[in-house]
């Protein structure tokens, strides 16, 4: 497999070391534990020890002195880590066949360290967990029975945690204990991570904070699992199988692209349903309009309002700018620019006009256009602010899968969260159409810091604007899976990436996916069921000559997929292909 072709970078992906002790298994990857399983059932999605900088970016750790010892009854791992700026730590990981796993770290600061978080994060998966009971022991010793939220929680669902106990599947009980500080939980589905994250240091405390030189930190995470799964997950008889089922009462929505204001192309090829661009000066607006005309696409504008004057006055000046540019606009999405940053549900909130006032002003200034609300930033901000949907033509938001982690596995797993994201959005948007995007692998904006993280070495960097997978075949696979998940969940439209620039789709493997989806606008969707692998996603619709099926493989290995009623389809590693159902 060619790394540049697949991932857009010469750096190969990390290869995990699988550790086993009886029915317990875990994967060791870059100093973190992933995919902790008990008799094949995923108990924890990950345990990691990290240092976040003052903008919530993860500081890389240089690992050394790795030692691994395994036997049939247990395993032991130790290593050392060093973070630039004077923080070093020693880690020990142990597991045994009785279902016990421990991860202990002692860290020392040789200089003052400015950080937003230093310590453990522990991830519970969402399948079999979301909506289910959990027994909580709090830091003060009190206990309660709660639930992992079904709908995506805008704030922390559980505070002050010492331990969490739950049943991942019938017949199995897992208890996870946290030591060394006060932990709490957030619902990472807000950022499309497929996990609930329990992390050190409550967010109610000030950030960033200083770990003084000479400070020693000792933390531990301990897991105990017992019982056996009552049933074994069903597997396809021939490995991976795909069935194209009945026609649904749902059609493929319009699929379009963004226009990156930092890289406005000179031309656009026809075929896209719509384009989305952020407000610019008259020259930029004129270019947006020309691109939409060349593509035969509707133009939607994001209007982040500075709110230095009343909304109607600011919007009227924007309307004059659009008129001067001669741009034909189909709709505008309005929100105060302050909401390009993130705020905790408990506040404090920005001192700007309310959403209802902004929407009324937009209606008055743009009487002939579609008026949308929501956020120009991520679903997180929409879920926390929840603007009123009454009277809007649509509600919008975007996503990026690399807010917290930038490896291919985490990016692919983000597809699992999308049905929950859409279900949650509908819970407060009602029947108002939901338009998603422009969404890309990289981050257009950083609501949690000064801006997206630099990526000068073209690596796998969380919170980066420029992500190499945008140009690789893995990007095509992920975009297909992303659009499929949203289409089946009833998104009114889906905007992917951008025409050019850091999020550019044209001329990349993802461009073929974008064009195929755009050309199929309005086609009736068909059910698609995949068994035997979570690495394969699919979407099908009725074409002129019968059903059309596209498959995506997010894994690093090629797969053979048996299509019910058809033949075997070879899907290359990290790729999206059209198949014959």
């Amino acid at each position: 497999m060619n790394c540049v072709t697949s991932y857009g970078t010469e750096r190969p992906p990390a290869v995990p070391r699988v550790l086993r002790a009886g029915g317990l298994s875990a994967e060791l990857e870059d100093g973190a534990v992933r995919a902790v399983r008990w008799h094949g059932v995923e108990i924890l999605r990950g345990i990691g020890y990290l240092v976040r900088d003052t903008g919530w970016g993860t500081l890389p750790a240089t690992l050394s002195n790795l030692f691994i010892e395994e036997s049939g009854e247990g395993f032991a791992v130790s290593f050392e880590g060093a973070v630039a700026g004077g923080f070093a730590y020693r880690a020990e990981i142990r597991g045994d066949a009785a279902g016990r796993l421990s991860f202990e770290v002692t860290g020392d600061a040789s200089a003052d360290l400015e950080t937003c978080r230093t310590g453990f994060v522990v991830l519970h998966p969402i399948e079999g967990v979301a909506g289910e009971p959990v027994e909580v022991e709090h830091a003060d010793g009190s206990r309660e029975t709660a639930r992992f939220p079904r709908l995506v929680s805008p704030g922390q669902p559980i505070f002050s945690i010492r331990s969490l106990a739950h049943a991942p599947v019938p017949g199995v009980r897992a208890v996870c204990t946290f030591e060394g500080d006060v932990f709490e939980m957030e619902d990472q589905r807000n950022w499309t991570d497929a996990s609930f994250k329990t992390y050190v240091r409550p967010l109610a405390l000030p950030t960033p904070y200083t770990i003084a030189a000479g400070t020693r930190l000792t933390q531990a995470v301990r897991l105990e699992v017992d019982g056996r799964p009552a049933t074994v997950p069903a597997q396809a008889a021939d490995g991976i199988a795909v069935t194209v089922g009945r026609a649904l009462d749902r059609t493929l929505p319009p699929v379009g692209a963004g226009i990156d204001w930092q890289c406005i192309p000179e031309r656009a090829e026809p075929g896209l349903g719509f384009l989305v661009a952020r407000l610019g000066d008259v020259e930029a607006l004129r270019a947006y309009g020309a691109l939409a005309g060349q593509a035969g696409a509707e133009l939607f504008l994001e209007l982040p309002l500075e709110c230095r004057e009343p909304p109607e006055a600011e919007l009227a000046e924007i309307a004059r700018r659009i008129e001067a540019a001669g741009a034909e606009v189909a709709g505008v999405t309005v929100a105060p620019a302050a909401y390009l940053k993130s705020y905790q549900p408990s506040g404090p909130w920005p001192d700007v006009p309310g959403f209802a006032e902004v929407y009324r002003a937009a209606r008055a200034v743009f009487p002939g256009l579609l008026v949308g609300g929501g956020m120009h930033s991520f679903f997180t901000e929409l879920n926390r602010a929840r603007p009123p949907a009454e009277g809007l033509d649509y509600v919008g938001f975007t996503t990026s899968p690399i807010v917290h982690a930038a490896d291919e596995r985490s990016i692919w797993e983000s597809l699992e969260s999308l049905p929950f994201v859409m279900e949650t959005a509908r819970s407060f948007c009602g029947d108002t159409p939901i338009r998603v995007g422009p969404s890309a692998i990289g981050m257009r904006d950083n609501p949690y810091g000064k801006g997206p993280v630099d990526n000068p070495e073209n690596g796998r960097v969380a919170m980066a604007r420029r992500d190499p997978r945008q140009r690789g075949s893995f990007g095509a696979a992920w975009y297909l899976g992303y659009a499929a998940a949203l289409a089946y969940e009833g998104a009114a439209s889906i905007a992917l990436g951008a025409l050019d620039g850091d999020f550019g789709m044209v001329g990349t493997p993802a461009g073929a996916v974008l064009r195929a989806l755009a050309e199929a606008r309005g086609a009736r969707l068909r059910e698609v069921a995949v068994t035997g692998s979570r690495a394969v996603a699919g979407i099908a619709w009725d074409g002129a000559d019968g059903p059309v099926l596209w498959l995506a493989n997010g894994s690093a290995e090629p797969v053979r997929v048996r299509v019910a009623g058809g033949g075997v389809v070879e899907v290359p590693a990290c790729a999206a292909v059209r198949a014959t159902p």
Side-chain angles (χ1 to χ4, degrees), residues 58-70:
T58 300
L59 294 174
T62 301
L63 305 182
S64 61
N65 296 327
L66 175 64
F67 172 80
I68 301 176
E69 183 179 36
E70 285 188 271

Side-chain angles (χ1 to χ4, degrees), residues 452-541:
V453 176
D454 291 333
N455 186 10
E457 298 182 2
N458 198 36
R460 296 166 174 83
V461 179
M463 303 182 83
R465 173 183 168 88
R466 179 185 293 273
D467 188 278
R469 275 72 57 100
Q470 184 70 35
R471 301 177 295 280
S473 60
F474 177 86
W478 183 80
Y479 278 116
L480 182 76
Y482 183 84
L486 292 173
Y488 283 121
E489 290 298 321
S493 71
I494 306 165
L496 303 176
L499 293 177
D500 203 355
D502 291 336
F503 315 118
M505 305 286 282
V506 177
T508 71
V513 170
L514 172 64
R515 183 161 297 278
L517 294 172
E519 290 176 351
R521 173 180 181 173
R524 185 176 296 277
L525 289 169
R526 283 187 169 270
E527 287 181 336
V528 172
V530 179
T531 55
S533 175
R534 291 186 180 181
V536 174
I539 183 171
W541 61 81

